[in-house]
Each structure stands twice: as structure tokens, then as C-alpha cells.
Amino acid sequence: MKQQTPKEKFKTSVGGQALMEGIMMRGPEKICCAVRRPDGEIDLKMEDVKHHPWQKIPLVRGSLAMIESMVLGYRYLMHSAEVSMGEDFEQEESKFDKWVNEHCGPKAQNALFVLAALLGSGLAILLFMVLPTLITGLLGGVLPLGRWPKVILEACIKLSIFVLYLFLCGRLPEIRRLFQYHGAEHKTIACYEAVQELTVENIRTHTRFHPRCGTSFLILVLLISIFLYSVLPWNNMALRVVYKLLLLPVVMGISYELLKWCGRCDNLLTRIVRAPGLWVQRLTVFEPDDSMIQVAIAAVTPVLPERPEDGLW
């Protein structure tokens, strides 16, 4: 069937995630995971998108969507590792992984994916929430820092840790390839939004940066948290961290709504809001090669709606 397209450039809700030697694309109704196998062929895995009532509730949907994305992303990341490594993956599989595959049903495995996502979230909270507060508190005990100098110092430490973490990740060969697939995902969606045929030649000409990127969401979370957390007390470090955790769903909700707004609109204000995210994407989105773009095409084609207006952002 010939792909129908609107008459002018548009914003689509189609998005994705880079995987090990692959890409997961999510459309309005379908999810497709495309992974390059060791023999060079592309493995495809499809599933239906699950719709939830909370997805229509502003502010609430932000944190819940983040949790859902982390669970889904971790599950597909494990799947891509298994497919891309082939028999080598089976040889390196731990006893725990074998026990899970043999004794746990789909619900139990999903619960383990949720647990893994929560552990990853715990590490992020430790790095970007607890550690900056701890360092600032220790320096405040040595230096005569007032309230606002502490707020500024904590913000600088938080952003520095985040940028340094992404920079070091990009230096690892395996992560760099994953970031290249990230670029293939962005460029392919940009080509689709520009109403051009999805070919390697067309996709290669498009930008690798996109305002609806997970990296942009994370930097928005950090920036919004700096403003909201600035009103929290400094007299008790442990209590400050507790307040931060309680406010985190609010921070994520606001960040999600801002991301949706920046993805839909293009004006001076939205360009200012999304500028930090687009800059930080230089650390997480690299130029892909043609084979990666082929994987992106294979992943996105099955999830595109028959009528593009059904998938507008």
C-alpha cells in the first residue's frame, strides 16, 4: 500500500529508542523492534501499543509515561542484546538469567523488568539528587555560603555530573554505536515528518537532533528541578532529599508537558526552552552509517499509521 502523507511538514507522535544493534519504534497503535542479527539480516518483533486512561491527564502522565518507557526500553534492550549477539549471548548468559527464563512466566519477567528499571532510577536519583546535595552541604559546612550560593552551587554540580556522565558514556565503543542508532532513529523520524520517502539517501540529509528526544526530557527534568528545589530548606540535608523525592513526580509532569509543547510548536519561546536539550543531544546522538539507517527504516515502517493525521503529536 502506498504511504499516504499530509501535504506539508508536520509533527508526528512516532518515536523510538536506540538499542544494541537495533531500534525500537513506537507508533500510535504498533511497536516494532528491529535488530541486526550476526548474519546481517534484520530481526523484527511486533506488539500492540497499550493505551491507558492516565495518558490523557496532564502533569500526571509525565511520571507514569517515564516509568512505562523505562520498563519497555529495558525489556527491548535485553531482547536486542540476545538477537544481536546470537549464540554468544547464550554462552554468556548467567545462571540467574537461565533460571528466570525457565521458571518465570511473562508476568514475573515483567515484574523483574520493573525492578531493574527501579534500580536504574535509584542510581540516577543517587547521582543527580543525593550526591549534589551532599557535596553542597559538605562545602557549606566549610565555606560561609548563603542560601542562594548553595542553590547555584548545587545546580552547577548537578549539571556537571550529568554532562560528564554522558560524555564518558559516549567514549565507550558499545555505547557510541548505540548513540549512532539514536541518530538513525532521529533522522528517520525527521525524514518522515518532512514528508519524504523513507530511503537511506533521503534520511541521510536530515538533522540528527530532535526536540522530542529522551535526552531533552532529562535535561528539562534537571532544569525544572533546579527552579523548584531552590525553595527547599538547607538546614537538614536528609529532609531536603526527602522533599526532592516527593516533588519529583511534579518535576517530571511539568517537564513532560513542556516537551510535548516544544514538540508541537515552533516559536521563539519554544526554541529557547528546547535549546539546552538540543545542545546536550550532541553527547548522545551521533551520525549513523547506512546500515543503521536501514534498521531504522525497517523499525519505523510497520508502525506508521495509514493516515498520518491519526499520529499527529
Side-chain angles (χ1 to χ4, degrees):
M1 179 183 295
K2 185 178 179 180
Q3 180 182 320
Q4 301 178 20
T5 56
K7 295 181 180 180
E8 57 184 13
K9 189 172 182 178
F10 68 111
K11 302 296 184 182
T12 179
S13 62
V14 177
Q17 175 182 325
L19 306 170
M20 290 184 63
E21 299 301 325
I23 293 173
M24 180 270 286
M25 288 287 192
R26 178 171 180 162
E29 300 297 334
K30 296 288 183 181
I31 295 174
C32 180
C33 174
V35 182
R36 182 79 69 177
R37 296 200 303 253
D39 61 7
E41 296 297 319
I42 299 177
D43 177 89
L44 297 180
K45 180 179 179 179
M46 299 283 299
E47 73 171 287
D48 294 330
V49 171
K50 293 181 175 62
H51 298 284
H52 309 282
W54 51 259
Q55 292 173 326
K56 297 181 180 180
I57 306 176
L59 296 180
V60 173
R61 58 191 174 188
S63 55
L64 296 177
M66 182 66 176
I67 294 172
E68 183 187 45
S69 296
M70 290 180 63
V71 173
L72 189 67
Y74 184 80
R75 177 154 58 87
Y76 275 111
L77 190 62
M78 293 299 98
H79 169 75
S80 68
E82 182 177 359
V83 173
S84 63
M85 296 179 67
E87 294 181 357
D88 291 337
F89 182 84
E90 296 297 331
Q91 293 173 1
E92 297 178 6
E93 195 174 31
S94 68
K95 293 181 179 179
F96 175 75
D97 292 329
K98 291 180 180 179
W99 182 88
V100 169
N101 292 328
E102 291 174 1
H103 297 89
C104 295
K107 290 185 178 180
Q109 291 187 24
N110 285 335
L112 290 173
F113 288 134
V114 171
L115 178 61
L118 291 175
L119 290 174
S121 300
L123 178 60
I125 289 172
L126 180 65
L127 279 177
F128 306 122
M129 292 180 63
V130 178
L131 187 59
T133 299
L134 179 62
I135 295 175
T136 304
L138 292 175
L139 291 176
V142 178
L143 303 174
L145 297 176
R147 175 183 182 80
W148 288 107
K150 285 183 179 179
V151 170
I152 295 172
L153 177 60
E154 183 187 44
C156 292
I157 293 173
K158 181 186 297 186
L159 292 173
S160 298
I161 292 174
F162 182 69
V163 171
L164 180 61
Y165 174 79
L166 294 181
F167 174 79
L168 293 177
C169 284
R171 305 283 76 78
L172 300 174
E174 296 82 0
I175 302 300
R176 184 174 183 84
R177 281 192 63 82
L178 186 141
F179 287 169
Q180 286 181 278
Y181 275 103
H182 195 181
E185 173 219 329
H186 282 192
K187 291 167 80 75
T188 301
I189 292 175
C191 183
Y192 173 63
E193 291 181 333
V195 199
Q196 292 185 349
E197 184 181 0
L198 296 180
T199 64
V200 173
E201 292 73 20
N202 287 342
I203 291 172
R204 196 188 300 115
T205 64
H206 287 273
T207 177
R208 72 181 194 268
F209 307 118
H210 201 284
R212 289 189 294 102
C213 174
T215 303
S216 293
F217 175 73
L218 291 178
I219 196 65
L220 275 175
V221 168
L222 288 180
L223 294 175
I224 296 298
S225 70
I226 289 171
F227 287 104
L228 288 187
Y229 295 165
S230 65
V231 302
L232 298 179
W234 280 97
N235 56 317
N236 187 310
M237 296 296 102
L239 191 60
R240 180 176 174 83
V241 171
V242 171
Y243 286 150
K244 282 185 173 185
L245 292 174
L246 293 176
L247 281 175
L248 185 57
V250 179
V251 172
M252 295 176 68
I254 295 174
S255 302
Y256 184 81
E257 300 305 324
L258 281 175
L259 188 71
K260 287 182 70 68
W261 174 54
C262 290
R264 285 195 306 263
C265 306
D266 186 16
N267 53 54
L268 178 60
L269 188 54
T270 57
R271 287 195 288 271
I272 292 173
V273 172
R274 66 192 183 205
L278 293 175
W279 182 85
V280 176
Q281 284 181 41
R282 298 178 185 277
L283 301 175
T284 65
V285 187
F286 298 157
E287 284 293 337
D289 60 36
D290 289 353
S291 68
M292 296 172 179
I293 295 176
Q294 292 170 355
V295 173
I297 295 173
V300 78
T301 302
V303 308
L304 296 178
E306 292 187 7
R307 300 187 309 164
E309 56 268 27
D310 293 338
L312 293 179
W313 178 246

